[in-house]
């Protein structure tokens, strides 16, 4: 029986290339593609057949981490394999906590992609070598992995959002972080875009739900 794969990635060139690779491999079949979180929701609201979802973290209209959590709540039998540019520990931890069974970087060679897809379809957990090496160092170093909110944000954007959630205005944030007011405005705009939020008030509520704003 073929492993049915759905691709969720907002980069058409990557998506087309990945679909061609998977379709060329025996026993793998691409049954759907989505270029955004909204398209993925529509796809899975229908009758799409899927065993594995290849998930990007940075979707134009939302977070792959949030979408992973959402899809798995609706279809617990799915295996989500994150395929992304991000190799940072925060993104790995957030993805795994959301229920992803695997984590690959987009630079992974075709044979690694094939192994990962087959592995997660079989119920295994898989990390790319670079990620696994750092994860092992993380464990051996005795650090406790903690959930980092909004892994799609940069450290600076998260820092700005934390201060926004604490009720600080842009002028105060500018002084606190030694940034120009324009840079702060840009960071706030980026946060709203990445989190698909309409305004600052919505950002404050969402950030406080995730434990930010304690400053």
């Amino acid at each position: 029986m073929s492993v049915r794969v759905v691709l969720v990635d907002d980069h058409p060139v990557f998506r087309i290339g990945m679909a061609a690779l998977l379709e060329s491999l025996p026993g793998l079949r691409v049954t759907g593609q989505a270029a955004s979180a909204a398209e993925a929701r529509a796809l899975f609201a229908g009758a799409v057949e899927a065993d594995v979802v290849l998930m990007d973290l940075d979707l134009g209209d939302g977070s792959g981490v949030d979408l992973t959590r959402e899809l798995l709540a609706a279809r617990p039998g799915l295996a989500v394999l994150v395929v992304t540019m991000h190799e940072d520990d925060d993104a790995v931890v957030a993805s795994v906590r959301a229920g992803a069974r695997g984590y690959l970087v987009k630079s992974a060679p075709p044979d690694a992609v094939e192994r990962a897809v087959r592995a997660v379809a079989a119920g295994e957990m898989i990390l790319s070598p670079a990620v696994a090496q750092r994860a092992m160092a993380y464990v051996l170093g005795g650090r406790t992995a903690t959930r980092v909110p909004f892994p799609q944000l940069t450290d600076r954007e998260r820092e700005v959002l934390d201060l926004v959630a604490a009720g600080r205005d842009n002028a105060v944030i500018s002084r606190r972080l030694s940034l120009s007011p324009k840079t702060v405005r840009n960071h706030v705009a980026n946060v709203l875009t990445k989190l698909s939020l309409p305004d600052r008030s919505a950002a404050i509520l969402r950030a406080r739900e995730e434990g930010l704003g304690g400053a």
Side-chain angles (χ1 to χ4, degrees):
M1 182 177 173
S2 294
V3 175
R4 300 161 299 183
V5 184
V6 169
L7 306 177
V8 182
D9 195 293
D10 62 349
H11 291 92
V13 173
F14 177 82
R15 210 170 54 247
I16 291 166
M18 180 61 75
L21 168 65
L22 295 176
E23 288 283 2
S24 74
L25 299 170
L28 300 184
R29 182 162 57 94
V30 176
T31 54
Q33 297 186 40
S36 65
E39 283 187 19
R41 290 187 188 103
L43 197 63
F44 280 93
V48 67
E49 297 181 331
D51 302 303
V52 176
V53 180
L54 265 60
M55 178 76 70
D56 190 15
L57 289 186
D58 290 325
L59 301 170
D61 61 345
S63 157
V65 170
D66 292 340
L67 183 59
T68 294
R69 192 178 295 113
E70 197 177 315
L71 294 183
L72 291 176
R75 296 197 187 189
L78 276 179
V80 175
L81 173 62
V82 170
V83 184
T84 179
M85 298 294 294
H86 296 286
E87 291 188 67
D88 60 280
D89 299 329
D90 293 351
V92 177
V93 171
S95 299
V96 172
R97 286 182 65 95
R101 286 192 198 164
Y103 194 101
L104 276 183
V105 291
K106 286 187 174 180
S107 56
D111 61 327
V113 174
E114 180 183 4
R115 281 199 308 272
V117 171
R118 296 190 192 281
V120 298
E124 298 174 28
M125 183 87 188
I126 191 160
L127 299 174
S128 66
V131 171
Q133 188 174 14
R134 281 204 319 283
M136 185 61 70
Y138 199 76
V139 172
L140 294 177
R143 297 167 59 193
T144 301
T146 56
R147 179 175 177 272
V148 174
F150 312 117
Q152 65 270 49
L153 301 182
T154 65
D155 289 342
R156 179 63 87 187
E157 287 166 351
R158 197 178 297 112
E159 198 173 8
V160 169
L161 179 57
D162 186 39
L163 291 170
V164 168
R168 308 295 190 262
D169 61 23
N170 284 4
V172 171
I173 296 171
S174 174
R175 291 195 299 273
R176 179 77 64 89
L177 301 180
S178 300
L179 299 172
S180 72
K182 181 180 179 182
T183 299
V184 173
R185 286 197 302 273
N186 288 341
H187 282 315
V188 172
N190 288 341
V191 166
L192 296 180
T193 299
K194 287 185 178 181
L195 301 185
S196 302
L197 296 170
D199 53 36
R200 195 182 187 97
S201 297
I204 291 172
L205 290 174
R206 183 82 173 84
R208 287 179 179 173
E209 286 173 0
E210 293 294 323
L212 296 182

